[in-house]
Amino acid sequence: MASSTTEYGTLYMCATPIGNLEDMTPRAIRMLAEADLIAAEDTRHTLQLLNHFDIKGRLVRYDEHSKEKQGAYLLEQLLEGKNVALVSDAGFPGIADPGEALAKEAIAAGVKVVPVPGANAALCALIASGISAYPFFFGGFLPKSKKNRREQIEVWKYIPATIILYEAPHRIEEVLKDLLERWGDRELACARELTKLHEEFYRGTISSCLEHFKENPPRGEFCLVIAQGEDKPVEASEELEPLEEVKALIASGMDKKAALSQVAKQRKIPKRELYNQLLQEGDEVDD
């Protein structure tokens, strides 16, 4: 990997408002105003933002369809010492958009990549969902194909975390039906039009949200926050013997007495029995 050089420019990953223009930070305004180039998914959309804040800048289109050609051009500009501000249509660039590719290319070339924080739909939905925020998994948009979507949902079924997804209004009901069928009826918060005039949260379960949409047709972009499901069942062939599980927990750093108590409770066997087996193995347990 190339080493960082002061002659190189800097790639600024600038967050922009997801709805409310008051969420634009003073730092982001300054970065956009000072950048030699502003790379945007939709130059017309970004131009409206720049005009609102009276920012004059050289706009360059950088989207999913042009990222290979434009990415090479932007990297060339960075290596020549130009500063580039990268923005998405809303929120953080690099999350569920092509900005990730440019950041990787810049880092590989030794170019400094700097985050300029701001609004983010996933985190806004998470903190106001009423569902545990730690740990969480961000899945972005599910595949558009029904077959691929259902396969992906199955893969994520047992993730031990709150799951955050983005979805379009014309697919939201199909997605919820697939989730209900494959994950069961989990607690859910469904947020739409975040930070905008018609911001709305529906908090309930997957099935009750589907009922809600029967009387309230979905409109606007959605962010789903879905509670963690049940632990993945352990296959009989994969299940450790009780004593082996105790040893594995101890090896992972758990206190011996705590490991004995946990396994005895889960396996519904006397703790003393496990204790004696451990002693027979030559391992002592402090009283």
Side-chain angles (χ1 to χ4, degrees):
M1 183 178 75
S3 61
S4 181
T5 305
T6 53
E7 295 177 355
Y8 293 168
T10 299
L11 175 62
Y12 293 97
M13 309 283 283
C14 295
T16 54
I18 59 176
N20 193 323
L21 291 177
E22 292 180 9
D23 292 333
M24 187 74 169
T25 69
R27 185 183 175 204
I29 292 173
R30 179 171 64 84
M31 291 295 99
L32 291 174
E34 294 178 357
D36 296 297
L37 295 94
I38 300 171
E41 272 192 285
D42 186 333
T43 53
R44 291 171 299 179
H45 178 85
T46 300
L47 183 59
Q48 293 176 356
L49 179 72
L50 299 182
N51 288 340
H52 180 85
F53 291 102
D54 196 26
I55 298 172
K56 310 298 180 184
R58 182 182 165 197
L59 270 174
V60 176
R61 189 175 186 87
Y62 178 80
D63 59 16
E64 191 63 39
H65 304 292
S66 64
K67 67 180 182 182
E68 290 189 14
K69 180 179 178 181
Q70 290 294 78
Y73 169 73
L74 291 170
L75 184 59
E76 180 183 334
Q77 297 299 300
L78 287 162
L79 294 175
E80 290 179 1
K82 302 285 180 57
N83 292 327
V84 176
L86 177 66
V87 299
S88 66
D89 286 345
F92 276 113
I95 296 181
D97 80 4
E100 177 184 0
L102 183 59
K104 286 182 178 179
E105 291 169 5
I107 291 167
V111 171
K112 188 175 182 180
V113 176
V114 174
V116 182
N120 173 265
L123 294 181
C124 285
L126 177 63
I127 62 173
S129 67
I131 296 173
S132 177
Y134 178 81
F136 73 85
F137 168 82
F138 175 68
F141 288 96
L142 287 164
K144 294 180 180 178
S145 156
K146 181 182 292 187
K147 178 178 179 294
N148 292 340
R149 180 176 70 236
R150 290 178 173 176
E151 288 177 352
Q152 187 64 76
I153 287 172
E154 196 62 41
V155 169
W156 289 345
K157 181 175 183 178
Y158 294 112
I159 289 178
T162 294
I163 296 176
I164 306 173
L165 302 173
Y166 288 159
E167 198 48 75
H170 60 281
R171 282 195 301 268
I172 186 72
E173 291 179 277
E174 288 184 17
V175 166
L176 289 173
K177 289 175 183 176
D178 285 343
L179 291 173
L180 182 61
E181 180 182 338
R182 284 160 175 75
W183 290 0
D185 203 10
R186 299 189 190 181
E187 183 185 2
L188 164 145
C190 182
R192 74 178 190 95
E193 299 295 272
L194 287 163
T195 78
K196 299 179 183 178
L197 180 63
H198 298 292
E199 175 181 285
E200 181 182 31
F201 276 85
Y202 177 83
R203 300 176 180 89
T205 62
I206 297 175
S207 63
S208 67
C209 189
L210 279 166
E211 289 298 316
H212 171 75
F213 283 142
K214 288 181 179 179
E215 296 183 4
N216 304 274
R219 296 186 179 88
E221 298 300 314
F222 286 89
C223 187
L224 300 174
V225 181
I226 306 159
Q228 178 181 337
E230 297 178 359
D231 293 336
K232 183 178 181 179
V234 178
E235 297 292 338
S237 59
E238 298 177 357
E239 188 173 319
L240 294 173
E241 291 297 321
L243 184 59
E244 295 303 314
E245 186 176 351
V246 170
K247 291 180 179 179
L249 290 172
I250 293 172
S252 71
M254 183 178 286
D255 175 78
K256 290 180 181 179
K257 293 173 77 172
L260 283 166
S261 296
Q262 178 174 311
V263 174
K265 182 178 180 181
Q266 290 178 342
R267 300 299 186 93
K268 294 182 174 56
I269 56 179
K271 180 180 174 181
R272 174 59 62 178
E273 181 180 321
L274 279 176
Y275 174 83
N276 290 335
Q277 289 179 27
L278 201 59
L279 286 178
Q280 290 174 10
E281 293 278 329
D283 211 337
E284 295 183 359
V285 181
D286 296 332
D287 291 328

